[in-house]
Amino acid sequence: MDGGQRLNHTEDIELKECSVSEQKFAEYARPEKLVSTEWVAEHKDDENVVIVESDEDVLLYETGHIPGAVKIDWHTELNDPVVRDYLDAAAFAQLLSSKGIDENSTIVFYGDKSNWWAAYALWVFALYGYENTRLMDGGRDKWIAEGRDITTEVPTPEQTRPSVGHRDDRALRAFRDDVLASFGKPLVDVRSPEEYSGERTTAPAYPEEAALRAGHIPTAASVPWGTAVNEDGTFKSRDELERIYRGAGVGEGEDVIVYCRIGERSSHTWFALKFLLGHEDVRNYDGSWTEWGSLVGVPIAIGTEPGTVQSR
Amino acid sequence: MTVPTALSGIASDFNTIPANERLNLLLEFSGELPELPERFAEHPELLEKVVECQSPISIIVEIVDGKVSIHASAPPEAPTTRGFASILIQGLEGSSAEDVMAVPSDFPNSLGLTALVSPLRLRGMGGMLARIKRQVAEDRG
C-alpha cells in the first residue's frame, strides 16, 4: 500500500467513491498498480510523481490534459523509427530525461480508449525494468467525465539523468518463435470476435491495418480485451476477471502469451493478467496478428473455435 | 491530377513550417471544424460514416450552383480526425465538382505529416477524401 490509500477527503461522495476503488484495488494481486482518479487529483503534484498521458490520438493531449501531465506518444516516441522494435537504451534514457522521469519516479499512466495505449507505454517501461508504474483506473474518459481539471498548458520538466540498463525482452515479451514453441500453453487472442474468426483482418473501426490472411493463431482462446473492463473503462473486480480468464484456459502458474494486432490492446490484457490476477509468466506478443497473419510457414486457424495445430 | 489552390496552399503551409510545429497547425484546423448546419445536425442519418477512420466521423457533400460544400461531424475526443476533415473542408470549399474529382487520392501524404501521425490515420483521411469524391460523383451523375 502506498500513500494513496489514505482518505483525507471530507465530502461524502468523494469518500464513498474513493473507498469503493480502494476496496476493489485491495483484492487484486498487486493493488499498488492501479490508482483512482481521486488519488491522482490528490497526489499529482507530489515530489517524484509523474503523470503520463498516452493516447491513440496524437493530438488529444494538446486539447487538454491533467494539469502537470506529460505526453508520451506511442508512434513517434516509443517505437524505433527504422527497426520494428522499441527504442534502444540510449533513446529511452533520452525520452525519460525529456519527460522529467528517472528511476526514483512514481509513474502514473493514463490515456484514451480505456487505457490501451497507457498500458502499452507501461509495458514498454517494464521491458526496461521501470516497474514503479501505475495505471489510472478508467483513464482519460473517467477523469473528464468526473469534471476534473484539465489544462492545455504543457509542462517543461527539469531534465533528469535516469539510470537505464539494457532492455530485457525475455520475461515480458514474446516473439514469433516463442509462440511456435509454446503451443499447448495458454494463448489469448484479445481482438474482436470478427478478427478472431477470420471474417476480417482488422478491428471493425480499423479496416486498413491488415495482415495478408485472416483468422487466429491455432489454439488461442478468444477473450476480447474489452471484457476486462466495465462500461466506464475501469477494470472489473478480481472475481470477475478470474472467471473470465479461467474460462479461457488461463490457470494459475502457467506461461501465458497474449496478442492482438500490434500489441497495444494485448498490453491491456497483459496488465490485467500480470498485476490484477498475479500470473507470474505473462508475455505480450507485440508482433501480433500483423506479423503472424503475414508470416511465411506458420499455421493459422479460422472460425470461432481455437483449433489445433495442423501438420501437413 | 491537380489540387485546388486553397488545398495546395494548406499543404504548402504544412510543409514550410518545421516538423515540430505541424501538429500545432493540425490542432488549429481541428479547432476550426465548423459545427454542422442545423438541417444536418438534426438529421445525422443523412451523413455518411467514414469507416476508414479510427474515430467516428460522418460527412456529407452538397453541390449548390456548381460549387462544392462539405460538412462533417466528429467528436472533440477525436482531434486528429477533426483536423483532417477541417483541412479538406477549408481546402475544397467552393471548388467545382471537376476540381474535387481531380484531387489525387494520395493527397494526405503530401502534408508532411507521415513521420508524425501513424500511417493508419493518414489512410483515414484518404478514406474521407474517397467518400467526398464518391458523393460528388453521385451528385453529378
Side-chain angles (χ1 to χ4, degrees):
Chain A
M1 293 285 164
D2 50 33
Q5 312 296 327
R6 279 174 295 150
L7 298 175
N8 289 337
H9 283 257
T10 49
E11 286 179 44
D12 287 351
I13 286 182
E14 290 194 339
L15 259 176
K16 188 165 161 259
E17 277 185 5
C18 200
S19 62
V20 168
S21 290
E22 306 305 338
Q23 277 171 22
K24 184 183 84 166
F25 295 170
E27 288 170 4
Y28 295 133
R30 297 275 303 276
E32 80 283 5
K33 296 302 282 188
L34 276 181
V35 293
S36 60
T37 49
E38 176 74 10
W39 188 94
V40 171
E42 202 175 317
H43 293 275
K44 61 185 170 52
D45 301 320
D46 288 4
E47 201 181 345
N48 289 337
V49 170
V50 181
I51 312 293
V52 178
E53 175 160 337
S54 218
D55 297 318
E56 192 262 347
D57 191 306
V58 68
L59 286 180
L60 196 50
Y61 170 89
E62 281 76 8
T63 67
H65 50 265
I66 296 178
V70 294
K71 165 188 176 180
I72 292 184
D73 182 62
W74 69 277
H75 177 60
T76 57
E77 295 187 301
L78 292 178
N79 288 295
D80 186 284
V82 178
V83 181
R84 181 174 174 186
D85 200 357
Y86 301 103
L87 298 177
D88 64 20
F92 186 69
Q94 179 53 43
L95 174 73
L96 295 188
S97 174
S98 70
K99 308 295 176 187
I101 296 170
D102 67 16
E103 62 278 13
N104 299 316
S105 307
T106 297
I107 310 156
V108 180
F109 293 94
Y110 77 100
D112 61 356
K113 313 258 177 191
S114 302
N115 283 332
W116 278 10
W117 303 94
Y120 186 70
L122 184 148
W123 175 73
V124 174
F125 273 56
L127 295 178
Y128 273 107
Y130 270 72
E131 304 211 325
N132 191 7
T133 54
R134 288 120 172 74
L135 278 187
M136 183 177 84
D137 200 24
R140 179 187 166 92
D141 286 351
K142 186 161 193 282
W143 180 273
I144 288 173
E146 290 169 349
R148 297 183 186 275
D149 285 351
I150 56 168
T151 180
T152 53
E153 201 175 307
V154 176
T156 44
E158 214 168 292
Q159 294 207 347
T160 57
R161 302 189 54 169
S163 155
V164 173
H166 283 295
R167 198 178 71 216
D168 185 356
D169 287 338
R170 288 169 303 179
L172 306 178
R173 188 178 186 194
F175 294 90
R176 63 197 193 193
D177 290 342
D178 299 323
V179 177
L180 275 171
S182 69
F183 284 135
K185 293 178 180 169
L187 182 59
V188 182
D189 183 320
V190 313
R191 298 172 302 158
S192 62
E194 296 83 1
E195 293 170 274
Y196 178 85
S197 68
E199 278 172 57
R200 55 190 311 156
T201 54
T202 61
Y206 296 66
E208 294 288 337
E209 201 164 84
L212 195 61
R213 298 186 297 172
H216 57 267
I217 301 176
T219 74
S222 170
V223 187
W225 74 277
T227 31
V229 296
N230 299 307
E231 256 179 48
D232 65 355
T234 57
F235 280 102
K236 287 182 179 166
S237 70
R238 182 169 187 166
D239 280 353
E240 290 171 289
L241 292 176
E242 277 183 349
R243 212 172 308 125
I244 290 163
Y245 292 106
R246 209 181 297 123
V250 180
E252 274 171 42
E254 286 181 283
D255 291 357
V256 190
I257 293 176
V258 293
Y259 75 94
C260 58
R261 190 182 74 250
I262 56 169
E264 87 301 4
R265 284 174 285 179
S266 49
S267 297
H268 189 274
T269 300
W270 170 85
F271 181 92
L273 290 172
K274 176 101 184 154
F275 299 123
L276 305 186
L277 296 185
H279 291 283
E280 273 299 309
D281 298 307
V282 190
R283 286 178 293 170
N284 184 22
Y285 170 40
D286 59 281
S288 275
W289 195 253
T290 53
E291 176 175 78
W292 194 274
S294 298
L295 194 56
V296 173
V298 301
I300 63 165
I302 49 177
T304 55
E305 294 301 316
T308 52
V309 182
Q310 307 267 337
S311 55
R312 287 176 297 178
Chain B
M1 298 288 244
T2 52
V3 176
T5 317
L7 193 59
S8 65
I10 292 171
S12 134
D13 287 348
F14 271 97
N15 283 284
T16 50
I17 59 175
N20 60 5
E21 290 174 21
R22 289 178 196 161
L23 285 183
N24 288 333
L25 183 56
L26 185 58
L27 188 63
E28 280 179 35
F29 275 99
S30 179
E32 289 166 6
L33 181 71
E35 292 282 321
L36 277 182
E38 214 169 281
R39 64 186 184 282
F40 295 127
E42 286 171 3
H43 292 282
E45 73 280 2
L46 295 174
L47 280 74
E48 178 179 10
K49 200 168 175 317
V50 181
V51 299
E52 288 85 354
C53 282
Q54 287 169 285
S55 305
I57 176 162
S58 305
I59 51 172
I60 187 163
V61 177
E62 288 182 303
I63 305 180
V64 181
D65 299 334
K67 291 186 189 307
V68 169
S69 190
I70 304 160
H71 308 283
S73 160
E77 63 270 19
T80 302
T81 300
R82 289 174 61 89
F84 286 155
S86 179
I87 288 170
L88 292 174
I89 288 174
Q90 292 187 35
L92 295 175
E93 179 68 31
S95 297
S96 68
E98 288 71 23
D99 286 351
V100 172
M101 294 308 288
V103 176
S105 54
D106 65 350
F107 169 78
N109 291 325
S110 69
L111 291 169
L113 291 170
T114 44
L116 302 169
V117 176
S118 74
L120 260 182
R121 285 273 170 196
L122 287 169
R123 285 200 288 257
M125 187 187 197
M128 281 182 223
L129 179 60
R131 279 158 199 278
I132 288 167
K133 286 164 79 168
R134 208 212 58 243
Q135 287 191 21
V136 168
E138 284 174 3
D139 203 302
R140 281 201 307 180

